[in-house]
Amino acid sequence: MQFDTKIAVVIRTDLEVWQKLNVASFLAGGIAASFPECIGENYEDGSGTKYLSLIGQPILIYGADRAQLSRALERALARDVKPALYTEDMFKTTHDAANREVVRAVARTELNLVGLALRAERKVVDKILDGLKFHT
């Protein structure tokens, strides 16, 4: 199935595995919260047990270094695409309000990005992430 939109998560490649998984989870949550129309129906198994719904389209995971993340952020904003972001300082906080505070304390050009997520038209996402490869 071809989707009109693309969901992409970009994770800094030099993070510990637990950090990559944490960042990807938070960023996917940002997409789900901002685009409720991308959420599929609830699941049910053959025994009638019900499960929560998931995002209803693939999420492509890319790897990047810090400079590539900054470039992707600037390209997204230049195309009026509002991304979800995660910064290294957010690893040191313990709650949502503190996360927002550490982001607010730093100018955009100085953000120590570890991850971004975005959802937009396929071609727009491709232009924003041009040159990035899938995370390995």
Side-chain angles (χ1 to χ4, degrees):
M1 170 179 231
Q2 182 81 2
F3 293 93
D4 294 336
T5 60
K6 181 184 257 185
I7 299 173
V9 173
V10 185
I11 305 289
R12 208 170 75 194
T13 55
D14 65 342
L15 299 177
E16 297 290 328
V17 172
W18 74 266
Q19 292 174 314
K20 291 177 184 180
L21 295 170
N22 183 265
V23 170
S25 298
F26 272 100
L27 293 174
I31 295 296
S34 298
F35 299 98
E37 67 275 14
C38 76
I39 303 299
E41 299 294 323
N42 289 341
Y43 285 76
E44 181 177 339
D45 65 26
S47 301
T49 306
K50 301 205 185 297
Y51 303 94
L52 298 176
S53 57
L54 303 174
I55 292 176
Q57 73 182 90
I59 300 174
L60 303 173
I61 310 290
Y62 294 84
D65 61 24
R66 185 176 175 185
Q68 291 169 319
L69 276 163
S70 294
R71 182 177 131 207
L73 174 61
E74 293 305 320
R75 285 179 165 189
L77 295 174
R79 288 167 173 81
D80 293 323
V81 174
K82 186 188 304 184
L85 64 78
Y86 203 99
T87 69
E88 194 165 302
D89 292 334
M90 292 166 71
F91 288 126
K92 301 172 191 162
T93 66
T94 59
H95 56 88
D96 190 46
N99 285 344
R100 286 192 300 280
E101 289 173 16
V102 297
V103 171
R104 188 178 298 116
V106 180
R108 184 173 76 228
T109 58
E110 301 301 316
L111 289 170
N112 190 358
L113 296 171
V114 297
L116 293 173
L118 45 112
R119 179 179 184 260
E121 292 180 23
R122 297 179 64 76
K123 290 180 181 183
V124 173
V125 172
D126 289 343
K127 287 179 182 180
I128 292 168
L129 302 182
D130 183 49
L132 296 184
K133 305 290 184 210
F134 290 128
H135 200 297
T136 57

